[in-house]
């Protein structure tokens, strides 16, 4: 595997379910990010991790819970979501957090909340 | 507050018809401006990073330019496979957030 991978690629869940999104980067980067992309809206930054420590929580509801066990893996735990949370969830990584480093994105998880 | 505005929202071209996409930005100090291409249902794919006014970068039919207030993505003689959404993003000198524009959807017809 190369680059940034995400699983699952598609997820349908009810509002009472609990699920997790997984991201893995094979680039040796130190920073990882979660973004939300809704139709015709700019990407919204949700969380930033640098060397496994959370450095930003961009006013995200508590029904989204991130976890970064090491610099290669990032999870987004989901519980009691709302239909408006349906979106494409993108993971990205960069060599360092901040600076001029380019972020490299995974293919995304298309989430549908019923 | 940092802001990125892309125009037009959508652009339809005939194959071979050159054009430009605009990205206007407002930041306290620019650390970098990024262009990405995104195909439907996929993650953004990195194209270019520009750091200072006057800088230009090229890749195949694409050329990105930067001024102090905006960036252009010039597409020369586009092909149908250039159809995608093109995203512009900026990062300022003060923080670590990358602010994205809403994108320009490009359609190239054969």
């Amino acid at each position: 595997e190369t680059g940034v991978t995400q699983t699952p690629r598609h997820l349908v869940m009810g509002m009472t379910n609990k699920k997790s999104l997984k991201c893995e980067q094979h680039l040796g980067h130190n920073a990882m990010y979660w973004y939300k992309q809704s139709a015709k809206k700019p990407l919204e930054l949700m969380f930033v991790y640098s060397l496994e420590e959370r450095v930003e929580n961009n006013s995200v509801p508590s029904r989204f819970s991130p976890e970064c066990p090491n610099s290669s893996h990032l999870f987004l735990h989901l519980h009691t979501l709302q239909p408006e949370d349906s979106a494409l969830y993108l993971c990205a990584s960069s060599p360092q957090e901040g600076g001029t480093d380019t972020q490299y994105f995974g293919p995304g998880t298309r989430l549908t909340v019923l | 507050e940092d802001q990125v505005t892309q125009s037009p929202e959508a652009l339809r071209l005939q194959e071979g018809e050159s054009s430009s996409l605009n990205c206007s930005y407002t930041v306290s100090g620019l650390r970098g401006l990024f262009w990405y291409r995104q195909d439907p249902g996929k993650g953004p794919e990195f194209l270019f990073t520009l750091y200072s006014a006057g800088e230009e970068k090229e890749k195949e039919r694409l050329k990105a330019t930067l001024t102090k207030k905006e960036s252009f993505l010039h597409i020369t003689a586009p092909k149908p496979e250039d159809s995608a959404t093109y995203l512009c993003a900026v990062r300022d000198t003060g923080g670590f957030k990358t602010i994205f524009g809403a994108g320009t959807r490009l359609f190239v017809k054969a």
Side-chain angles (χ1 to χ4, degrees):
Chain A
E1 292 275 15
T2 59
V4 181
T5 58
Q6 291 186 244
T7 55
R9 293 296 310 278
H10 300 272
L11 179 62
V12 179
M13 59 187 290
M15 290 191 286
T16 58
N17 291 157
K18 289 185 180 180
K19 297 286 184 182
S20 295
L21 310 185
K22 179 183 176 182
C23 174
E24 185 173 0
Q25 59 97 0
H26 308 269
L27 300 169
H29 290 169
N30 289 324
M32 297 187 77
Y33 311 79
W34 279 116
Y35 284 90
K36 176 184 179 182
Q37 187 176 36
S38 303
K40 296 190 177 181
K41 287 186 176 180
L43 271 70
E44 300 174 48
L45 179 66
M46 300 176 72
F47 300 103
V48 180
Y49 276 84
S50 177
L51 295 171
E52 303 131 51
E53 287 191 22
R54 189 190 308 179
V55 296
E56 171 69 2
N57 174 359
N58 205 29
S59 302
V60 179
S62 59
R63 56 185 183 270
F64 295 91
S65 175
E67 179 189 0
C68 187
N70 55 63
S71 60
S72 298
H73 294 86
L74 185 64
F75 295 88
L76 188 63
H77 304 298
L78 316 171
H79 64 96
T80 60
L81 294 191
Q82 304 298 311
E84 58 264 30
D85 296 323
S86 298
L88 182 68
Y89 287 84
L90 292 162
C91 174
S93 72
S94 65
Q96 304 295 335
E97 171 262 314
T100 57
D101 287 342
T102 299
Q103 294 176 19
Y104 294 88
F105 286 84
T109 294
R110 173 66 63 186
L111 174 66
T112 302
V113 181
L114 302 177
Chain B
E1 184 179 333
D2 297 346
Q3 194 168 2
V4 178
T5 303
Q6 292 189 248
S7 61
E9 186 175 318
L11 180 63
R12 298 180 185 275
L13 300 174
Q14 289 291 129
E15 184 173 5
E17 180 187 0
S18 301
S19 188
S20 297
L21 313 182
N22 178 263
C23 172
S24 297
Y25 64 90
T26 303
V27 293
S28 53
L30 182 68
R31 176 155 282 178
L33 184 142
F34 309 87
W35 281 100
Y36 288 86
R37 168 192 170 129
Q38 186 174 24
D39 293 300
K42 295 187 177 181
E45 175 189 345
F46 170 70
L47 294 174
F48 304 108
T49 306
L50 302 169
Y51 298 102
S52 58
E55 189 174 2
E56 299 181 352
K57 289 194 176 174
E58 289 188 66
K59 179 181 179 180
E60 297 180 355
R61 295 177 293 282
L62 301 176
K63 179 180 178 180
T65 61
L66 181 65
T67 72
K68 290 185 178 180
K69 293 183 178 180
E70 58 191 350
S71 177
F72 291 94
L73 186 64
H74 307 279
I75 302 177
T76 302
K79 298 182 178 182
E81 53 262 41
D82 295 322
S83 297
T85 296
Y86 290 85
L87 302 175
C88 173
V90 298
R91 184 177 300 137
D92 69 22
T93 54
F96 49 81
K97 284 186 182 180
T98 301
I99 308 298
F100 282 81
T104 293
R105 296 176 65 197
L106 175 65
F107 304 91
V108 182
K109 187 176 179 182

